[in-house]
Amino acid sequence: MIRALIFDCFGLFYPDPVLAYTNDPSTPPPIANALDSLEEQGDLGKISKMEFVAQAAALLNITLADAEQRFFHSDMRNEQVVVFVQQLRKNYKVAMLSNVGGDMMDGFFSPRQRRQLFDEVVLSGDVHMAKPDKAIFELICQRLGVELREAVMIDDRQKNCDMAKSFGMRSICYQSFEQLSADLAALTK
């Protein structure tokens, strides 16, 4: 029986700001690789938001303010998914599990918004582990009071979905709202 739904943030609620650069063919590979490395360090809490901003600004030859705006603020929230989560919360425990530095989320969801939308939130930088590490999946399920087999991981990265499945969870690899809605309906019949 499914008791909990666990959502990634970037790729579902918001476009992934680093992926926008690393997937852009006009971004030189050394810069794309350096941005990937910065993201991984932030995901594990090894660098702060301000350290990320300073290094990204230097890499992209932009101001600190521009780097902060590009990577840590967005008005492109997928409200369809937000409303869906609010509806789902009536019948399921709902959580956010995102690979992001602990001090890097507020420009997307304030602490108040996170409390309103989710029963639990785990940001990888706060716990110094990241998806697809089994321990972070176990942690979010523990905080929700459910077993891995009672949870569905919803993520836009196939690797994270595949690993969640290998640990006994169910998963949905997000491609569109319509696909998510249909796949979740099929899982919860």
Side-chain angles (χ1 to χ4, degrees), residues 45-66:
K46 293 180 178 180
I47 62 171
S48 70
K49 174 181 169 182
M50 292 317 300
E51 290 169 315
F52 182 103
V53 166
Q55 292 180 46
L59 280 169
L60 298 171
N61 197 27
I62 58 176
T63 67
L64 294 174
D66 284 344

Side-chain angles (χ1 to χ4, degrees), residues 1-8 13 84-97 117-120 140-141 144 146-148 150-155 169-172 180 183-185 187-188:
M1 178 165 103
I2 295 171
R3 296 179 49 215
L5 306 173
I6 303 166
F7 289 83
D8 180 31
F13 293 99
F84 192 51
V85 165
Q86 291 168 329
Q87 294 167 347
L88 292 168
R89 198 165 177 203
K90 295 173 188 171
N91 299 308
Y92 300 96
K93 293 181 180 185
V94 177
M96 177 191 288
L97 174 60
L117 275 173
F118 304 102
D119 296 298
E120 288 292 335
I140 192 66
C141 287
L144 288 167
V146 301
E147 300 292 324
L148 288 168
E150 298 174 308
V152 178
M153 182 69 217
I154 302 157
D155 201 300
M169 299 175 78
R170 297 175 196 188
S171 69
I172 296 173
L180 167 62
D183 287 357
L184 191 55
L187 270 181
T188 57

Side-chain angles (χ1 to χ4, degrees), residues 67-115:
E68 180 162 351
Q69 184 64 37
R70 289 182 192 188
F71 291 101
F72 298 109
H73 298 278
S74 177
D75 58 0
M76 296 177 62
R77 183 181 292 176
N78 186 337
E79 292 298 335
Q80 218 175 5
V81 175
V82 171
V83 170
F84 192 51
V85 165
Q86 291 168 329
Q87 294 167 347
L88 292 168
R89 198 165 177 203
K90 295 173 188 171
N91 299 308
Y92 300 96
K93 293 181 180 185
V94 177
M96 177 191 288
L97 174 60
S98 188
N99 285 354
V100 66
D103 62 347
M104 299 177 181
M105 181 58 74
D106 290 355
F108 301 100
F109 288 104
S110 70
R112 181 173 176 256
Q113 290 170 323
R114 293 192 297 262
R115 285 190 302 274

Side-chain angles (χ1 to χ4, degrees), residues 10-72:
F10 301 103
L12 278 81
F13 293 99
Y14 286 97
D16 185 320
V18 173
L19 209 55
Y21 281 96
T22 58
N23 284 348
D24 182 346
S26 69
T27 302
I31 291 177
N33 292 338
L35 287 170
D36 264 342
S37 175
L38 284 178
E39 182 177 47
E40 287 175 22
Q41 291 174 63
D43 289 351
L44 293 171
K46 293 180 178 180
I47 62 171
S48 70
K49 174 181 169 182
M50 292 317 300
E51 290 169 315
F52 182 103
V53 166
Q55 292 180 46
L59 280 169
L60 298 171
N61 197 27
I62 58 176
T63 67
L64 294 174
D66 284 344
E68 180 162 351
Q69 184 64 37
R70 289 182 192 188
F71 291 101
F72 298 109

